[in-house]
Amino acid sequence: TSLVKRAAKWGHKAVAITDHGVVQALPEACKAAKSAGIKLLCGMEGYLVDDEKYPDFMNMKLKDFPRYHIIFLIRTLAGRKVLYKHISKSNIEYFKNRPLILKSALKEHRDGIIIGSACEQGELYQAILHGKSDEELEKIADFYDYLEIQPNGNNMFMVRNGTVADVEALQEINKKIVAIGEKLQKLSL
């Protein structure tokens, strides 16, 4: 509630709120947005598993298949229902240490939701860290509606723990994400 009020106080006309793995905070956020006179984009940060690459993931150990963060923003009323169905399935049928959302299911049912590539735990960011080719990166990025970059300060822990060498390495990752997005945008025009 206080974040929504602060955004309104700072003059923002809209703010996006994403809950983590659930959407329990969204009714309270909607109420706060309405009272503050600000538009609210509701969503969720979820956990994606590529069940096409790992079809037997439910019978595998967690360390044997990757899970990625993914961002969902609800665009329409129908999109809210689509997201709720994904959330329900992830908690009932595909819960493995956390609720997992299947990439194949998202490919089939994504109407009314906007899908973002997420933070450094996202599929695209991890692919960059693991040195995937530009062709592979573009294929991964093409699945998403938008590509997320974050301020270097959010990822400074990666410098401290040695995942990347320095701040310049973080900047290069962000530049690569932007370049991939620009290339995909040009290809779609």
Side-chain angles (χ1 to χ4, degrees):
T1 315
S2 61
L3 292 175
V4 173
K5 289 178 183 174
R6 183 180 310 152
K9 183 179 177 183
W10 288 350
H12 294 283
K13 295 188 183 343
V15 64
I17 300 287
T18 57
D19 214 339
H20 221 168
V22 295
V23 288
Q24 294 171 343
L26 298 184
E28 187 179 330
C30 286
K31 186 178 176 182
K34 189 173 184 175
S35 71
I38 189 171
K39 181 177 178 164
L40 181 68
L41 304 171
C42 295
M44 181 187 85
E45 183 166 5
Y47 308 99
L48 177 72
V49 64
D50 191 341
D51 58 310
E52 294 165 336
K53 286 184 184 173
Y54 302 94
D56 198 34
F57 74 94
M58 286 300 288
N59 297 314
M60 298 169 71
K61 293 180 180 178
L62 285 171
K63 62 180 180 142
D64 293 337
F65 67 94
R67 291 150 326 285
Y68 304 104
H69 289 198
I70 186 169
I71 300 293
F72 301 101
L73 295 174
I74 299 168
R75 190 170 53 84
T76 65
L77 181 59
R80 184 177 70 178
K81 292 176 183 177
V82 167
L83 182 57
Y84 287 176
K85 286 179 183 178
H86 285 300
I87 293 168
S88 294
K89 278 193 165 234
S90 72
N91 279 280
I92 296 167
E93 296 179 33
Y94 305 113
F95 194 94
K96 193 163 178 92
N97 197 37
R98 32 180 69 120
L100 301 174
I101 295 178
L102 308 184
K103 194 169 195 179
S104 65
L106 285 176
K107 285 181 178 179
E108 290 181 32
H109 305 287
R110 61 188 292 161
D111 293 339
I113 55 176
I114 300 167
I115 301 176
S117 63
C119 59
E120 102 304 329
Q121 287 298 310
E123 181 182 23
L124 180 60
Y125 206 104
Q126 287 294 308
I128 292 170
L129 286 175
H130 289 97
K132 299 289 184 185
S133 71
D134 286 352
E135 185 178 301
E136 290 172 289
L137 296 175
E138 290 167 19
K139 185 177 179 184
I140 291 167
D142 193 46
F143 173 75
Y144 297 96
D145 297 313
Y146 72 91
L147 306 179
E148 184 174 319
I149 58 171
Q150 295 190 344
N152 292 329
N154 286 25
N155 292 329
M156 283 304 292
F157 72 94
M158 296 172 68
V159 175
R160 290 189 298 274
N161 71 17
T163 301
V164 298
D166 50 30
V167 175
E168 288 76 25
L170 292 175
Q171 291 169 334
E172 289 305 314
I173 292 169
N174 280 344
K175 287 177 186 176
K176 188 159 198 82
I177 293 170
V178 170
I180 291 166
E182 287 177 345
K183 184 170 184 182
L184 290 176
Q185 186 177 16
K186 285 178 186 174
L187 291 175
S188 68
L189 293 178

